[in-house]
Amino acid sequence: MEPVRLQSIANEATRSDNTIDTTISLLREKMQRIEGRGPATALQHSAQGRVEGGASRAHAGVAPAPSWLAPHLASGGFPRGTATQISACPAALVDILARLTAQGGCAAVVNHPRLALAAVEAAGGDLERLVIVPDASPHAAAVVATLAEGMDMVVFSAASDANARGELHSGFVRPVDARVNKSTCALLVSGATWPSARHHVEVDVYAVHGLGRGSGRVRGIELVGKTWGKAQPPQRFQATIGAPETHAPAHLAHPTHPAQHERAAQ
């Protein structure tokens, strides 16, 4: 099984006279393909249809989160129609995507070309329910906004669109927010400050289980983090992805810096 991959979509669009129109057209075609729908008009209602008829019916206002994270989110999942600021921790992002797609949701991954898609499948995810845009330049805002129309979740690295202080221009953020707010999509942003984000998830790798001295294999990854947001005071957590084995955990001397996460996730 393979994800729907939009390799060099911006480069393909640039060869056309109407670059932005071509980019949007390509995105819509790919979303129709992943949804198995014909007419483009049905795309606007696809996410809502999944909420009403799919596994997310019990939590229509949120996209599902992994069991290790859900108890630490005020709504038990990622709120739809809004942005969540999240650390660019590959282990966490992989498990989030695996959980969502395993429950029948559709997700897009934008500007994370090195994210381990094989790990998503290994964690029980469905790669056929993923749209991958390795490099959305130079139309990242339009790409994310369009994907929000038809996806349950968009995982977006905004690092390449931010200034040296990690800030995004309001002209970039506002059009995306406008589209996301009208959708049933949960937008997860890493790599830059998203000023309108109402929810925050800070997560780092603390230890790796299953490795001994020169032997073993990774069986579990221990995470530490903090969640907070509007009407949700800061809440710290520690959790393990996978099953720890008998080998002592390989602890990191210091939690990985977010910038290191971003390089690993790109």
Side-chain angles (χ1 to χ4, degrees):
M1 300 192 304
E2 291 293 333
V4 178
R5 186 180 291 273
L6 307 188
Q7 292 283 5
S8 304
I9 185 170
N11 292 338
E12 184 176 348
T14 303
R15 291 195 290 270
S16 170
D17 293 334
N18 300 315
T19 59
I20 188 63
D21 290 341
T22 303
T23 299
I24 299 305
S25 176
L26 287 169
L27 284 169
R28 291 184 184 280
E29 288 175 9
K30 298 300 183 181
M31 286 195 292
Q32 288 173 32
R33 175 180 162 190
I34 199 172
E35 282 296 312
R37 292 174 178 267
T41 54
L43 181 61
Q44 298 175 3
H45 308 291
S46 61
Q48 183 62 41
R50 285 193 300 276
V51 171
E52 294 173 352
S56 300
R57 185 185 294 110
H59 300 285
V62 300
S67 58
W68 55 267
L69 180 58
H72 308 289
L73 299 173
S75 53
F78 296 103
R80 296 175 184 268
T82 188
T84 296
Q85 186 89 51
I86 190 168
S87 301
C89 176
L93 296 179
V94 161
D95 212 51
I96 289 167
L97 290 168
R99 169 71 169 176
L100 178 81
T101 57
Q103 290 198 353
C106 296
V109 182
V110 182
N111 287 0
H112 283 287
R114 296 181 183 176
L115 196 66
L117 298 178
V120 175
E121 186 174 30
D126 183 353
L127 295 186
E128 292 184 342
R129 306 195 72 80
L130 286 179
V131 172
I132 308 299
V133 186
D135 182 4
S137 301
H139 305 307
V143 167
V144 172
T146 301
L147 287 166
E149 294 180 8
M151 298 286 105
D152 292 292
M153 178 181 290
V154 174
V155 177
F156 171 50
S157 171
S160 60
D161 298 287
N163 61 26
R165 297 187 298 275
E167 300 169 340
L168 293 162
H169 191 274
S170 59
F172 182 100
V173 174
R174 278 199 299 264
V176 177
D177 274 340
R179 198 77 64 88
V180 170
N181 292 342
K182 295 178 181 178
S183 76
T184 54
C185 175
L187 174 62
L188 274 58
V189 182
S190 64
T193 301
W194 197 265
S196 61
R198 301 175 65 184
H199 310 274
H200 299 261
V201 178
E202 188 177 277
V203 59
D204 290 296
V205 173
Y206 176 70
V208 177
H209 294 272
L211 297 177
R213 289 183 176 274
S215 64
R217 57 182 296 186
V218 175
R219 297 292 185 180
I221 298 176
E222 194 170 343
L223 304 174
V224 293
K226 180 174 68 172
T227 59
W228 71 97
K230 187 174 182 180
Q232 180 184 352
Q235 183 177 155
R236 296 188 179 276
F237 66 89
Q238 185 167 349
T240 300
I241 300 174
E245 289 216 334
T246 55
H247 289 305
H251 289 280
L252 301 179
H254 302 283
T256 308
H257 190 277
Q260 292 176 296
H261 281 323
E262 183 59 36
R263 288 194 296 272
Q266 286 179 347

